[in-house]
């Protein structure tokens, strides 16, 4: 039998060679963990706003009279609740937008070693992409919130938000819908992968 190297089997479709583009995509569990951690951090911020809006007097009246409150909205001072939501919305939008533009990572993404980049060439994302990305996510949340005040049946719109994130389960590049809208994707942030957000020392 003639000598020489044995022929190598081609890589499986969709997976690429070791270290190739497909292996640099952020893992689905890493994205989930980062999202949960960011939600917890923003939830801590939202807690004081929710507590400030509770009608403690109504709750005490219900306890004293023994009559249950049939409409949960009666337990809240709606103007205070909406004002609190507005503050949390602005801070949350700034949190995701600024951190993604500056470093490609929120605290959750940094903890799980992943970052957002442009889908076209894996460079740093622009302000426009960051606004589009987060704007799409928050638009779903705001519409759902507003309609929930009108009818509980609007809760089904929450499925739209779930579908947005669930898209990474079957998408070849593991993009959520908001990634496709903004032209972004999420990759691993390892010491051996290029960091398009790297800046010279001392430059913000």
């Amino acid at each position: 039998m003639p000598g020489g190297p044995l022929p190598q089997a081609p890589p499986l479709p969709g997976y690429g060679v070791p270290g190739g583009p497909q292996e640099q995509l952020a893992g689905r569990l890493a994205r989930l963990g980062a999202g949960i951690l960011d939600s917890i951090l923003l939830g801590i911020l939202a807690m004081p706003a929710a507590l400030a809006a509770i009608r403690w007097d109504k709750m005490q009246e219900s306890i004293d009279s023994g009559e249950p409150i049939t409409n949960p909205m009666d337990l809240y001072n709606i103007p205070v609740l909406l004002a609190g939501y507005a503050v949390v919305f602005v801070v949350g939008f700034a949190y995701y937008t600024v951190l993604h533009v500056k470093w490609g990572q929120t605290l959750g993404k940094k903890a799980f070693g992943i970052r957002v980049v442009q889908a076209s060439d894996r460079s740093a994302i622009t302000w426009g992409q960051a606004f589009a990305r987060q704007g799409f996510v928050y638009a779903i949340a705001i519409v759902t919130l507003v309609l929930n005040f009108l009818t509980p049946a609007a809760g089904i719109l929450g499925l739209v938000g779930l579908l947005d994130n669930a898209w990474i389960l079957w998408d070849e590049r593991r993009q959520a819908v908001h990634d496709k809208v903004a032209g972004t994707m999420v990759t691993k942030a390892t010491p051996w992968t290029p960091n398009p957000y790297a800046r010279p020392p001392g430059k913000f």
Side-chain angles (χ1 to χ4, degrees):
M1 187 176 214
L6 295 174
Q8 298 293 318
L12 294 175
Y15 288 87
V17 297
Q22 193 71 14
E23 287 195 359
Q24 294 173 11
L25 295 177
R28 295 177 176 91
L29 289 180
R31 292 195 65 172
L32 175 62
I36 291 174
L37 181 55
D38 285 328
S39 295
I40 290 174
L41 293 174
L42 292 176
I44 293 173
L45 173 66
M47 194 176 298
L51 292 175
I54 294 177
R55 292 287 305 274
W56 300 103
D57 56 333
K58 287 283 188 182
M59 190 177 295
Q60 188 62 49
E61 287 177 10
S62 176
I63 294 173
D64 294 340
S65 65
E67 296 181 3
I69 297 176
T70 56
N71 184 2
M73 288 295 101
D74 290 340
L75 279 175
Y76 292 95
N77 183 321
I78 300 302
V80 174
L81 183 64
L82 291 178
Y85 272 128
V87 172
V88 172
F89 167 80
V90 172
V91 173
F93 197 95
Y95 171 78
Y96 286 105
T97 303
V98 175
L99 267 63
H100 280 157
V101 170
K102 292 297 184 182
W103 297 283
Q105 297 174 301
T106 57
L107 296 179
K109 286 184 176 66
K110 186 173 180 63
F112 282 84
I114 58 179
R115 69 166 61 95
V116 179
V117 296
Q118 291 196 38
S120 58
D121 58 5
R122 304 201 179 196
S123 61
I125 68 171
T126 66
W127 282 103
Q129 287 176 305
F131 273 100
R133 194 175 195 274
Q134 201 55 37
F136 181 84
V137 174
Y138 271 37
I140 295 174
I142 290 173
V143 171
T144 303
L145 175 65
V146 171
L147 291 182
N148 271 330
F149 278 104
L150 303 177
T151 171
I156 195 172
L157 286 176
L159 296 177
V160 178
L162 291 177
L163 180 62
D164 171 26
N165 292 300
W167 206 269
I168 68 173
L169 297 177
W170 54 78
D171 187 77
E172 183 180 359
R173 295 205 290 180
R174 301 177 194 171
Q175 289 175 295
V177 177
H178 59 260
D179 284 312
K180 292 188 175 297
V181 169
T184 61
M185 64 191 305
V186 183
T187 61
K188 295 175 183 176
T190 62
W192 55 87
T193 52
N195 180 6
Y197 298 88
R199 295 174 176 84
K203 183 178 180 180
F204 178 74

